[in-house]
């Protein structure tokens, strides 16, 4: 029998942590700092809205673009929070989480062999999605010395005549890095000079502890060359509802919509209705969660540095990304042994690209008690 | 009263036994400042007391709690204050509030038995001058107290590792 698996699918490497994951599932009393989602339940008022939607029989498809009310609220919110101007009729698509938005954004703009720069360390889906879209992912390193921010010189080094787009994610998973307005301006200059497009995944935008989030599309001359992706999962603890959105100039949005309508049709309606409630009445719940993350961050980072794992202060998201170099172990070995010996799960940084090597990602989206217990176990592990 | 005071209060309400060290780290201010702020908040009587939230049902001694609504005729010059002051002196009265609506005062009363609570209301509260009407609601079950749910919820499981 011939091999049926496409070359494209074969080119995607298997998950780097499968073995690790299997081991984890056999263990007891594990504290997992490996969970990339909030530990809060969805604010109850938002869940109630979803439940009521189902009770009322709102269980159908919506328009491909998503409920107009939701698009209007998203548009207003983006304007209020990030000074972005997107027309709810022509420039916004509600997607099944940001994951889908990443995929359709890439497929809308990538031609075969186009190079897409991916700022690393990065969320694990970007490069495979570039590959699936027929493009070639090219890592751009964000250096620890720069606080894992993307720098213009590192970006320019990787630009070739085949480069089409840059994929960024700030506040960043896994490093927690945030790009300030000035940082983004320097990147925007390069982007405009080289006539590139930016795909910006801003799903952690509300989890910013150093000030207000800046959206790259809000910079002069950038809206027409940016696809902004965002969603409800992190800000409103709504990962399971699968609601995100893609915003782009009408032409790009139209192209993405063609893909979305055939592969997804629409985002789940009950999730969309819950998201409407989140935007209408979820602000206080969101702020409360953000305050809690900030306090946990302070607690955890101080603890990491105290036990000898040096860690820059992450300004956003809910990840700490300490270096494990001082232990003499590489990140994979560190994570494996920490799990086996002390039952604490962290994610090896190299999973997020070469730029993450010798670091571990610790999600502090767990209770303060668990964070303290994890720190104690990590300290015992390091000093042993 | 600033943002930091508020944060300290919220943390203490959530867990009165939280250490000053943890609060200092979490809020990014020196430990000494946490102490002086708490001292001040106590002096200003913003913080009245550090106490515990107990699920008395689990203590299992058969104690009874009730909410008592009272209709009170307000007094010239004093309104409800003098009556409220008298009522609040009873050891059995755990909380006392002036509320809007059909009734005026709302009490939370505890006792060893249903009979004891009933007698307390009938013999000690109802006869007080200016009290026009009482309504006693025996508490059958407490679902949530001070923001803490008392019934067990199934813990939602997250995948141990997600990217």
């Amino acid at each position: 029998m011939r091999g049926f698996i496409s070359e494209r699918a074969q080119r995607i490497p298997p998950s780097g942590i499968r073995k690790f994951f299997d081991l984890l599932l056999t263990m007891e009393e594990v504290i997992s700092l490996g969970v990339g989602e909030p530990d809060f339940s969805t604010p109850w008022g938002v869940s109630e809205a979803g439940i009521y939607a189902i009770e009322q029989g709102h269980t159908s498809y919506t328009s491909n673009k998503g409920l107009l009310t939701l698009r209007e609220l998203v548009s207003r919110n983006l304007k209020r929070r990030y000074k972005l101007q997107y027309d709810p009729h022509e420039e916004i698509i509600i997607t099944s989480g940001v994951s889908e938005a990443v995929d359709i954004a890439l497929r809308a703009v990538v031609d075969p062999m186009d190079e897409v720069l991916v700022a690393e360390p990065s969320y694990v889906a970007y490069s495979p999605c570039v590959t699936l879209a027929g493009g070639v992912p090219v890592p751009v390193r964000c250096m620890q010395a720069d606080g894992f921010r993307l720098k213009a010189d590192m970006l320019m080094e990787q630009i070739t005549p085949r480069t089409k787009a840059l994929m960024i994610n700030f506040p960043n998973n896994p490093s927690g890095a945030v790009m300030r307005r000035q940082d983004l301006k320097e990147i925007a200059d390069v982007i405009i000079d080289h006539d590139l497009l930016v795909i910006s995944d801003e799903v952690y935008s509300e989890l910013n502890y150093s000030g207000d989030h800046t959206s790259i599309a809000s910079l002069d001359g950038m809206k027409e060359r940016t696809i902004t992706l965002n969603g409800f999962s992190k800000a409103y603890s709504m990962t399971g509802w699968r609601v995100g959105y893609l915003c782009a100039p009408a032409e790009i949005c139209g192209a993405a919509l063609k893909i979305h309508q055939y592969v997804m049709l629409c985002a789940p309606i009950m999730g969309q209705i819950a998201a409407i409630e989140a935007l209408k009445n979820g602000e206080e719940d969101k702020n409360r969660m953000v305050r809690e993350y900030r306090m946990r961050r302070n607690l955890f980072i101080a603890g990491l540095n105290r036990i000898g794992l040096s860690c820059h202060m992450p300004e956003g998201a809910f990840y700490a990304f300490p270096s494990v170099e001082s232990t003499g172990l590489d990140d994979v070995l560190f994570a494996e042994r920490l799990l086996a010996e002390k039952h604490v799960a962290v994610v090896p940084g190299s999973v997020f690209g070469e730029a993450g090597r010798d670091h571990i990602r610790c999600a502090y989206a767990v209770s303060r008690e668990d964070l303290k217990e994890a720190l104690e176990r990590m300290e015992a592990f390091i000093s042993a | 009263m600033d943002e930091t005071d508020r944060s300290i209060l919220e943390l203490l309400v959530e867990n009165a036994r939280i250490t000053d060290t943890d609060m200092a780290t979490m809020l990014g201010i020196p430990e000494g400042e946490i102490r002086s702020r708490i001292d001040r908040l106590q002096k200003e009587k913003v913080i009245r007391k550090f106490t515990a939230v107990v699920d008395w049902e689990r203590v299992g001694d058969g104690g009874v709690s009730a909410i008592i609504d009272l209709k009170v005729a307000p007094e010239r010059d004093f309104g409800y204050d003098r009556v409220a002051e008298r009522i609040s002196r009873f050891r059995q009265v755990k909380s006392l509030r002036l509320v809007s609506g059909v009734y005026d005062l709302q009490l939370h009363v505890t006792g060893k038995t249903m009979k004891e609570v009933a007698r307390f209301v009938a013999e000690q509260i109802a006869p007080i001058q200016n009290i026009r009407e009482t309504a006693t609601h025996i508490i059958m079950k407490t679902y949530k107290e001070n923001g803490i749910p008392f019934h067990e919820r199934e813990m939602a499981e997250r995948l141990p590792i997600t990217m």
Side-chain angles (χ1 to χ4, degrees), chain A residues 358-378:
Chain A
D358 291 331
H359 290 74
I360 51 170
R361 189 194 75 174
C362 310
Y364 52 82
V366 299
S367 70
R368 285 182 236 142
E369 291 71 32
D370 278 0
L371 283 179
K372 292 175 92 172
E373 171 68 21
L375 281 167
E376 275 176 32
R377 294 189 195 180
M378 287 163 89

Side-chain angles (χ1 to χ4, degrees), chain A residues 188-209:
Chain A
D189 288 344
V190 178
I191 295 296
I192 292 169
D193 275 355
H194 292 81
D195 195 19
L196 302 177
L197 176 83
V198 172
I199 302 173
S200 181
D201 175 354
E202 301 176 16
V203 74
Y204 294 98
S205 60
E206 291 294 320
L207 310 187
N208 186 330
Y209 313 113

